[in-house]
Amino acid sequence: MMIQWKSKPQWSPIKINERMSTHIVSVEPERPVRELAKIMRDEHVGCIPVTADNQLLGMITDRDIACRSVAEERDPDETPARDIMTKPVHTCHTDEFLVDAAQVMEDQQVRRLPVVDDDGKIVGLLTSDDLAWHTDHLLVGDVIEAVYERHG
């Protein structure tokens, strides 16, 4: 589904694999929430892909930990990632363009997209911050506006 851009961004020939972060820290679905929080702290990341057999199952964000674990008073040592992860996960492909990823982000109202290769293996992460550095600022504004409409 093609979305109607509010700002009509200029097309950028930059491919996702040229700007994505390749520093990926993933966890298995059984990993306890307390360990997830420590990984986020130690690795300076705001989200962690949940994988099994090189397949992306879900994503854990700092918001997932706050809203689905802490706010629900779940035991962080007993609650596994699979119980609080966001799924399904919307992804982008290494050979797509940044503007394509921005469309997905705006349409799905997310700030982070895992990047997958031809085999569906996660190979990177693209964030709205990455878009801000490498695309039209109006485009990023549309993405951020859509995300905040969702989360209020």
Side-chain angles (χ1 to χ4, degrees):
M1 174 176 135
M2 294 297 285
I3 57 175
Q4 298 298 315
W5 293 101
K6 296 175 186 164
S7 61
K8 296 185 181 179
Q10 296 179 349
W11 183 79
S12 173
I14 301 170
K15 292 218 174 180
I16 290 170
N17 64 358
E18 296 175 50
R19 298 297 187 251
M20 69 184 188
S21 170
T22 55
H23 175 71
I24 300 297
V25 179
S26 63
V27 297
E28 64 282 353
E30 298 77 27
R31 186 74 64 101
V33 168
R34 185 179 309 278
E35 289 183 31
L36 301 174
K38 287 179 180 179
I39 291 169
M40 286 182 174
R41 178 197 65 203
D42 296 345
E43 296 291 332
H44 307 284
V45 296
C47 69
I48 303 174
V50 179
T51 60
D53 300 322
N54 285 326
Q55 294 300 308
L56 183 61
L57 304 177
M59 291 287 283
I60 299 286
T61 65
D62 44 9
R63 182 175 172 84
D64 292 329
I65 292 173
C67 296
R68 295 181 182 160
S69 181
V70 176
E72 297 294 323
E73 299 180 8
R74 294 181 178 202
D75 182 342
D77 294 312
E78 298 297 324
T79 304
R82 75 173 160 273
D83 288 357
I84 66 164
M85 68 185 182
T86 296
K87 58 183 179 183
V89 180
H90 303 284
T91 63
C92 55
H93 195 274
T94 53
D95 65 357
E96 294 176 323
F97 294 100
L98 291 181
V99 70
D100 298 324
Q103 286 181 336
V104 173
M105 286 180 179
E106 184 172 353
D107 188 42
Q108 300 303 322
Q109 299 177 314
V110 296
R111 294 182 297 139
R112 303 169 180 115
L113 283 177
V115 182
V116 296
D117 64 12
D118 290 334
D119 297 322
K121 180 182 174 190
I122 185 167
V123 294
L125 188 70
L126 190 71
T127 69
S128 57
D129 290 346
D130 298 325
L131 294 179
W133 283 104
H134 304 291
T135 64
D136 184 313
H137 290 264
L138 293 174
L139 175 72
V140 177
D142 287 349
V143 170
I144 298 302
E145 183 179 340
V147 169
Y148 286 102
E149 283 176 5
R150 174 181 181 190
H151 295 295

